[in-house]
Amino acid sequence: LADADLAPRIAALCQQLGVRLLTLEEASSTPAGPLPELAPSRAALILYTSGTTSKPKGVLTTHANIQAQIESLVTAWAWTATDRIPLFLPLHHIHGIINVVSCALWSGASLEAFPRFEPRPVLDRVRAGAYTLFMAVPTIYVKLIQVLEADTATDRDAWKAGFAALRLMVSGSAALPARVHDQWAALTGQKLLERYGMTEIGMALSNPLRGERRAGSVGYALPGVAACLADEQGLDITADEVAGEIRIRGAGVFQEYWQRPDATAAVFHDGWFCTGDVAVIERGYFRILGRQSVDIIKSGGYKLSALEIEAVLLEHPEIRECAVVGLPDETWGEAVAVAAVLHSRSGLDLPALKDWCRERLSYYKLPKHLLICDALPRNAMGKVVKPDVRQLFNSSAAQVHS
Ligand code: MCA
Ligand code: AMP
């Protein structure tokens, strides 16, 4: 099924595979019929996610997994048929497809879809009192704050009244800085509810709908989810304030990486899914400290693999070697930064590199910073030391193109 505008892009592929292609208009003019019976164990969805490997993996979830993910959120956040929510997040991620679309459909709630996120049209609808619920990534809240702060005091009061009327605003997909949480509360009177999830598990941890919403924390296990922290030996950490890896169990946990049994086996330990995220538990709330892998970058809510970007950059005719890292960024959370060693007598600047990359990488994976250096920092084994690469960008002598 495809929108009429996009159908031509996959028409040839469908023909080659012998798959029937319908536009949305054609599909919706077909009379509705009874839905087929589906086994809960049947595969329902594959979302691709980047990770510690250079190629994205297909995360396969069953109907039972999806039902568990939806029921957990509908219960925790008290969705009802009277809810109204805007959709401006991409549908190829859990945040858009499960938390917004599927929960709304399940509850019989109303959903208003935007072609893409743009602050003004969304703000106008908030001001008109169009919604009861709002879900977004931290970058979107940062962008909305920029617009609100630039507005006149009268307009700001009108936005504030619109936001105050919502019954719940949620942030997730990346860390919400406590500063942004506080700025948002001051501007709109809304205390954002931060939650934590992952493509492989749906949502796992959340601040409560009723009760303390703690800035900088992601709360505790959602209904139907078991969460623990494990030390390096895989043992459960029982003491408060000791850091460990978040591990998750529950009916919402995915079935397998598509055609990757090795990768699937590697992420389960004694029946627990190992997230690779490191946290502490403080007075019953999980607080995320970071990730085990330096090769995962979260930019504007998108999870990017540094290795995937490096593999593409190494095909650039001027680049001899390179390392990709995520640098802290006020708007994006983390921004893709490239340290590159060039072939002798070569030159390269950021606009030229971005143009070259545009043909080969999704727009949100394009480098935002470029540092040309003589050599990459390596350890005794010859492996690039990513934390030292990050430091290179901070050094006062560094000539970073941004
Ligand atoms: C756009 N750009 C980006 C990103 N998005 N660069 C880095 N990271 C990004 N995420 C680039 C544009 O190509 C452009 O580059 C420049 O930044 C400014 O674009 P702008 O128009 O301001 O941005 P935008 O198009 O408004 O997009 C920002 C966005 C979007 C709305 C925040 O990135 C977005 O929809 N993110 C949400 C992703 C998401 O739903 N993630 C959930 C997955 P140039 O200037 O060079 O042309 S995580 C998940 O599902 C788990 C389970 C969970 O917990 O939720
Ligand atoms: P994805 O694979 O795109 O589903 O992204 C999942 C990852 O996003 C998690 O493993 C975390 O690293 C990160 N993440 C999601 N929600 C939060 C949050 N509230 N705070 C910090 N990190 C988060």
Side-chain angles (χ1 to χ4, degrees):
L1 287 177
D3 190 86
D5 287 347
L6 299 173
R9 293 207 206 171
I10 52 169
L13 181 67
C14 289
Q15 200 172 14
Q16 190 188 325
L17 296 173
V19 175
R20 196 168 155 217
L21 171 63
L22 285 179
T23 63
L24 294 181
E25 290 75 6
E26 286 164 344
S28 55
S29 64
T30 310
L35 292 172
E37 282 291 320
L38 292 174
S41 59
R42 185 174 156 154
L45 177 72
I46 299 181
L47 295 177
Y48 276 81
T49 187
S50 295
T52 47
T53 49
S54 76
K55 269 199 152 186
K57 299 187 285 281
V59 175
L60 189 149
T61 40
T62 62
H63 289 275
N65 295 147
I66 290 178
Q67 179 166 344
Q69 293 181 8
I70 295 171
E71 284 180 330
S72 176
L73 292 186
V74 168
T75 307
W77 298 340
W79 277 85
T80 70
T82 59
D83 277 317
R84 288 165 277 125
I85 189 166
L87 169 73
F88 38 70
L89 294 170
L91 293 181
H92 58 286
H93 284 295
I94 294 276
H95 201 159
I97 194 74
I98 300 290
N99 298 20
V100 179
V101 175
S102 302
C103 286
L105 287 174
W106 185 271
S107 310
S110 308
L111 183 142
E112 188 170 81
F114 292 80
R116 60 185 298 264
F117 173 73
E118 276 176 282
R120 287 284 169 196
V122 174
L123 283 170
D124 286 343
R125 295 293 292 148
V126 168
R127 190 171 171 161
Y131 313 121
T132 60
L133 285 171
F134 195 97
M135 296 183 194
V137 298
T139 299
I140 288 182
Y141 288 110
V142 171
K143 285 175 173 254
L144 289 174
I145 288 173
Q146 286 162 359
V147 174
L148 293 179
E149 283 186 335
D151 259 337
T152 62
T154 324
D155 272 339
R156 261 208 307 274
D157 286 346
W159 307 128
K160 191 168 179 169
F163 279 116
L166 292 167
R167 74 167 185 85
L168 175 65
M169 300 195 78
V170 180
S171 172
S173 302
L176 178 75
R179 182 182 41 76
V180 177
H181 184 281
D182 295 343
Q183 263 178 313
W184 190 258
L187 272 172
T188 67
Q190 283 278 353
K191 258 195 160 200
L192 294 176
L193 178 152
E194 186 171 5
R195 61 31 170 208
Y196 160 89
M198 200 170 172
T199 308
E200 287 86 337
I201 56 178
M203 296 304 106
L205 307 169
S206 172
N207 275 279
L209 178 64
R210 294 176 194 87
E212 186 197 358
R213 292 188 198 159
R214 208 181 287 167
S217 287
V218 290
Y220 42 85
L222 279 159
V225 177
C228 72
L229 288 184
D231 66 15
E232 273 163 17
Q233 282 74 46
L235 300 173
D236 195 11
I237 295 173
T238 46
D240 251 23
E241 300 183 18
V242 176
E245 184 192 26
I246 304 176
R247 297 197 174 173
I248 301 293
R249 259 178 119 132
V253 175
F254 79 124
Q255 180 161 294
E256 64 189 23
Y257 292 117
W258 177 237
Q259 298 183 331
R260 293 289 308 274
D262 51 333
T264 309
V267 291
F268 284 95
H269 190 274
D270 284 344
W272 291 85
F273 172 72
C274 306
T275 63
D277 289 310
V278 178
V280 285
I281 302 176
E282 293 166 339
R283 292 177 287 124
Y285 283 49
F286 285 71
R287 184 163 64 84
I288 297 185
L289 301 177
R291 283 181 295 268
Q292 286 175 333
S293 169
V294 285
D295 288 320
I296 293 174
I297 299 169
K298 264 261 151 169
S299 171
Y302 284 115
K303 189 177 191 185
L304 317 179
S305 161
L307 304 179
E308 183 191 355
I309 301 172
E310 283 165 9
V312 169
L313 293 176
L314 283 173
E315 286 170 22
H316 192 287
E318 316 283 346
I319 295 179
R320 196 171 73 203
E321 43 186 76
C322 69
V324 170
V325 291
L327 294 185
D329 186 280
E330 293 236 326
T331 301
W332 301 107
E334 287 179 302
V336 171
V338 181
V341 179
L342 304 183
H343 293 293
S344 53
R345 287 193 291 279
S346 288
L348 188 61
D349 61 17
L350 186 63
L353 181 63
K354 278 175 92 167
D355 280 347
W356 183 87
C357 287
R358 250 180 257 281
E359 307 267 296
R360 297 159 175 91
L361 287 167
S362 314
Y363 63 93
Y364 47 85
K365 298 178 184 169
L366 300 186
K368 294 211 188 302
H369 308 285
L370 171 67
L371 174 66
I372 308 293
C373 46
D374 295 333
L376 295 174
R378 292 179 184 273
N379 64 16
M381 313 288 289
K383 200 170 162 336
V384 173
V385 185
K386 291 276 173 102
D388 291 356
V389 174
R390 265 196 218 119
Q391 285 307 321
L392 280 184
F393 285 86
N394 293 334
S395 107
S396 52
Q399 292 214 331
V400 181
H401 305 258
S402 301

